[in-house]
Amino acid sequence: MANTKRKKLGDLLKEADLITETQIIEAIEHKKNNQKLGDALVDQGYITEKQLLDVLEIQLKLESVSLYQYPIDKSLIDIITKDFARSNLLLPIGKENTRLIVAMNDPLDFYAIEDLELSTGYTVQPVIAAKDDILQTINRLYDSNDIAVEDIEGEEAPAVRIFDQLLETGVAMHASDIHLDQKETAVTVRYRVDGVLRTDRTLPKALMNSLVARIKIMAGLNITETRLPQDGRISTIVVDKKVNLRVSTLPTVFGEKVVIRILDMSNVFKKIEDIGLQEDALKDYEKLIRQPSGLILLTGPTGSGKSSTLYGSINELNSPESNIVTVEDPVEYQLEGINQVQVNSSIGLTFAAGLRSILRQDPNIIMVGEIRDKETAEISIRASLTGHLVFSTLHTNSAIEAIPRLFDMGIEPYLVVSSLSGVMAQRLVKTVCKDCAYTRQASPIERDIFERRGQTIEEVTIGKGCDRCRHTGYRGRMAIHELIVIGDDLKQLMMNQATMQDIKQHVKEKGVKFLIDDGLEKIKSGKTTLDEVLRVASADE
């Protein structure tokens, strides 16, 4: 291996015809500080991590392993510190005489290999593993080792360390929430990844009181109050990433259940192009949000990404010339240059009360977290009619259903018609894992669904399941949309109190794409699957 050993990664990738010299130069120019070339190429979409690992495996004649299923020798984790393992993305997993088998994300990192050989006295035999696979295994092994030691010693410091470990694992897994569920004799730790809850480990029940106290202190909650639910927030740095945490506690028969929502600041949409709208819908939506006044509604269930779209929209309009004020419950992301108001019902600061005060603050653009009642709806509508651009959300199943929902709240139809500029429904679907994606012929059922919507399909893309996606075939999520711009003809129909069926037929004739249609287009482009789209959208719209 000596002669291939000193080859550069760029040369190996060029030899495999995966990348050009120009692309390497571009990746180097745009990479983050101290970021390795391989990570930069993957982040910027030039190659997938699987392609990168395959090239290293073939060219360097090294074995590739899945740590998820590997029989790791747990006695080896004391050889190196967790920080060294994490910063160098490596983990000793076995040994044969004087050879140490080390899972590495970058087997060309000769400095790390040298450091390891000098500090341990072993000869390092690298094997290749995926980055997330290594990080998650490091967290799992070191955390359970720490907890076992602390459980025996009974010291008080573990709560601080365990909370840090829970957050590190959550960020490494790209989880949106961490659940700490108290049972009779233990505590279950679960992470929500891509919308699905996964049990990760159990903690000794004896640790929970000090852990909950630690979380409450950081979130500014009352540590003596255990009988009532509480909500708080924490801003912190986890593995060099700034994250905001929303903390919710709930008293249960076995003790307090804690749910921590992880709001990764690096994932806040900076531009509306990142929301995932198709080209025509993106143009219509950009035109809509650049109007000087009007009411724009986003609809969908909890967890459909409405907040991200709202933040992306107001971020797009954020400038020193605009006074943007929001009233939210809770404030999820703190955005620079935007005045954000947190609802506090216990002291009378409701959406409606906050909104009234905002209108005396000379705003240009207002964001109301959610329209929950007639009073908030009425003030929002009147604000949009007096020259303000108002964004808000409603919980409805489709964009069209927002219209009767406002009528049902008791709002005069003429007010709804005059103020409403557009409604966008949104859902999140899991995306096919790029590393194990493959295409197959579309099945008769898939062809039939596409034909019923006036589309055709020959091939579909699905994921086989690999280490990077934890053998689910999916990795990450994307949004599907349904955008209805309220034009004069639609306003006329609404004023004449047309049925929802008539309005639906009208927008269909105007070429509006419903959620199912947008989902089918994203299946055709290989981004998601029919199972995912049918999970959130009806084929009979």
Side-chain angles (χ1 to χ4, degrees):
M1 194 178 115
N3 55 349
T4 50
K5 194 178 176 185
R6 292 286 162 184
K7 272 198 175 176
K8 287 184 177 172
L9 178 62
D11 296 333
L12 295 178
L13 293 168
K14 280 192 294 184
E15 280 172 25
D17 286 334
L18 280 176
I19 206 152
T20 63
E21 183 69 37
T22 311
Q23 289 171 321
I24 290 171
I25 293 164
E26 281 174 10
I28 290 168
E29 279 174 8
H30 295 105
K31 77 183 179 81
K32 298 168 195 160
N33 290 344
N34 302 325
Q35 190 179 31
K36 290 183 176 176
L37 177 62
D39 288 340
L41 291 166
V42 172
D43 281 358
Q44 293 172 40
Y46 290 114
I47 53 171
T48 67
E49 191 181 11
K50 184 172 189 305
Q51 287 174 321
L52 176 62
L53 298 185
D54 285 350
V55 164
L56 293 172
E57 187 178 354
I58 293 161
Q59 299 282 356
L60 303 180
K61 298 181 175 57
L62 293 178
E63 186 191 349
S64 178
V65 298
S66 163
L67 300 180
Y68 194 55
Q69 301 154 322
Y70 196 90
I72 296 169
D73 181 349
K74 291 177 184 166
S75 67
L76 295 173
I77 66 167
D78 293 329
I79 287 180
I80 57 169
T81 65
K82 183 180 178 182
D83 286 344
F84 181 83
R86 198 168 57 201
S87 61
N88 291 289
L89 288 172
L90 54 80
L91 187 68
I93 55 172
K95 66 173 190 220
E96 295 167 2
N97 302 322
T98 59
R99 277 193 319 144
L100 189 65
I101 300 160
V102 181
M104 298 184 72
N105 181 241
D106 178 9
L108 293 169
D109 188 345
F110 307 115
Y111 294 113
I113 292 172
E114 245 163 63
D115 282 355
L116 199 52
E117 288 183 336
L118 284 170
S119 63
T120 64
Y122 286 102
T123 305
V124 167
Q125 168 64 52
V127 293
I128 304 166
K131 181 180 177 180
D132 282 359
D133 201 11
I134 292 175
L135 283 173
Q136 287 168 28
T137 309
I138 288 170
N139 284 328
R140 190 176 74 242
L141 292 180
Y142 281 89
D143 295 359
S144 59
N145 195 48
D146 282 357
I147 290 163
V149 169
E150 284 151 359
D151 201 21
I152 296 159
E153 293 175 4
E155 50 176 284
E156 286 187 17
V160 176
R161 200 146 63 245
I162 290 166
F163 184 48
D164 290 346
Q165 290 166 1
L166 294 175
L167 294 182
E168 283 168 15
T169 304
V171 169
M173 290 172 79
H174 309 288
S176 60
D177 302 86
I178 305 171
H179 288 239
L180 303 178
D181 298 312
Q182 296 230 39
K183 302 282 167 48
E184 196 169 359
T185 56
V187 178
T188 307
V189 179
R190 294 186 293 169
Y191 292 93
R192 189 177 292 282
V193 180
D194 294 340
V196 180
L197 268 176
R198 301 173 180 172
T199 300
D200 185 68
R201 69 184 88 159
T202 55
L203 297 175
K205 182 92 170 171
L207 289 170
M208 194 58 181
N209 284 348
S210 56
L211 183 57
V212 171
R214 166 70 180 165
I215 294 168
K216 282 183 171 181
I217 288 164
M218 288 187 73
L221 303 179
N222 181 352
I223 62 167
T224 60
E225 180 55 81
T226 57
R227 299 161 305 163
L228 290 171
Q230 294 188 70
D231 293 294
R233 60 186 308 123
I234 301 168
S235 280
T236 186
I237 304 286
V238 180
V239 195
D240 302 329
K241 264 189 180 178
K242 187 181 178 192
V243 292
N244 278 357
L245 308 172
R246 254 178 35 208
V247 177
S248 170
T249 68
L250 183 74
T252 71
V253 287
F254 294 125
E256 287 178 285
K257 172 181 166 69
V258 180
V259 176
I260 301 158
R261 164 67 55 91
I262 301 173
L263 303 164
D264 184 348
M265 297 308 286
S266 62
N267 283 344
V268 185
F269 287 126
K270 301 292 189 292
K271 298 190 175 80
I272 56 170
E273 294 95 85
D274 299 330
I275 292 166
L277 284 161
Q278 305 276 23
E279 202 175 326
D280 292 351
L282 180 61
K283 279 181 193 161
D284 288 343
Y285 188 67
E286 279 186 321
K287 209 156 116 189
L288 204 56
I289 68 169
R290 296 203 181 275
Q291 292 178 358
S293 64
L295 175 62
I296 298 168
L297 292 177
L298 274 130
T299 77
T302 304
S304 58
K306 299 189 299 292
S307 295
S308 296
T309 302
L310 275 179
Y311 282 123
S313 306
I314 59 172
N315 232 2
E316 189 85 4
L317 302 170
N318 191 3
S319 72
E321 294 80 45
S322 292
N323 179 19
I324 303 176
V325 191
T326 75
V327 53
E328 304 169 63
D329 183 23
V331 172
E332 290 199 8
Y333 294 102
Q334 287 151 350
L335 301 176
E336 211 169 307
I338 290 169
N339 309 287
Q340 294 169 277
V341 177
Q342 167 81 50
V343 164
N344 187 346
S345 304
S346 62
I347 58 166
L349 180 51
T350 59
F351 274 119
L355 199 43
R356 269 198 208 91
S357 304
I358 284 171
L359 289 170
R360 294 192 281 273
Q361 290 274 321
D362 183 31
N364 302 95
I365 297 161
I366 300 166
M367 182 183 114
V368 184
E370 190 186 335
I371 291 178
R372 294 177 184 168
D373 51 50
K374 181 184 177 183
E375 197 181 3
T376 311
E378 251 172 8
I379 304 166
S380 301
I381 284 169
R382 291 189 189 281
S384 71
L385 292 172
T386 52
H388 305 93
L389 184 62
V390 181
F391 290 92
S392 192
T393 68
L394 267 182
H395 285 275
T396 62
N397 289 327
S398 68
I400 290 171
E401 284 173 40
I403 298 164
R405 175 62 55 85
L406 290 171
F407 290 168
D408 292 346
M409 281 181 175
I411 310 296
E412 292 293 341
Y414 77 91
L415 282 174
V416 176
V417 172
S418 330
S419 63
L420 202 56
S421 306
V423 187
M424 185 157 77
Q426 179 170 317
R427 298 287 187 284
L428 290 178
V429 291
K430 295 202 282 280
T431 48
V432 175
C433 173
K434 288 178 186 170
D435 289 314
C436 60
Y438 73 99
T439 54
R440 62 159 171 79
Q441 289 294 306
S443 69
I445 293 170
E446 287 164 337
R447 288 172 196 267
D448 178 54
I449 287 171
F450 271 80
E451 277 164 21
R452 274 194 275 152
R453 305 299 304 177
Q455 297 193 49
T456 57
I457 184 120
E458 295 302 321
E459 287 185 331
V460 293
T461 303
I462 57 173
K464 280 181 189 168
C466 65
D467 300 334
R468 289 215 76 202
C469 62
R470 296 193 128 199
H471 302 274
T472 60
Y474 296 103
R475 192 157 186 270
R477 289 191 292 176
M478 68 185 299
I480 60 172
H481 301 94
E482 169 179 308
L483 176 64
I484 296 174
V485 178
I486 314 288
D488 292 339
D489 44 0
L490 198 50
K491 289 187 177 189
Q492 196 61 49
L493 277 174
M494 286 160 65
M495 275 309 288
N496 296 337
Q497 299 203 326
T499 65
M500 277 307 104
Q501 209 48 49
D502 291 342
I503 290 176
K504 204 171 201 177
Q505 191 55 40
H506 172 78
V507 296
K508 202 172 185 178
E509 284 165 11
K510 295 282 281 185
V512 166
K513 286 184 181 131
F514 294 121
L515 282 169
I516 182 75
D517 302 315
D518 191 34
L520 295 183
E521 285 195 6
K522 281 165 180 168
I523 293 168
K524 282 175 89 165
S525 60
K527 291 172 184 166
T528 189
T529 63
L530 188 61
D531 285 351
E532 271 301 291
V533 172
L534 292 181
R535 186 175 58 79
V536 298
S538 164
D540 302 316
E541 285 194 276

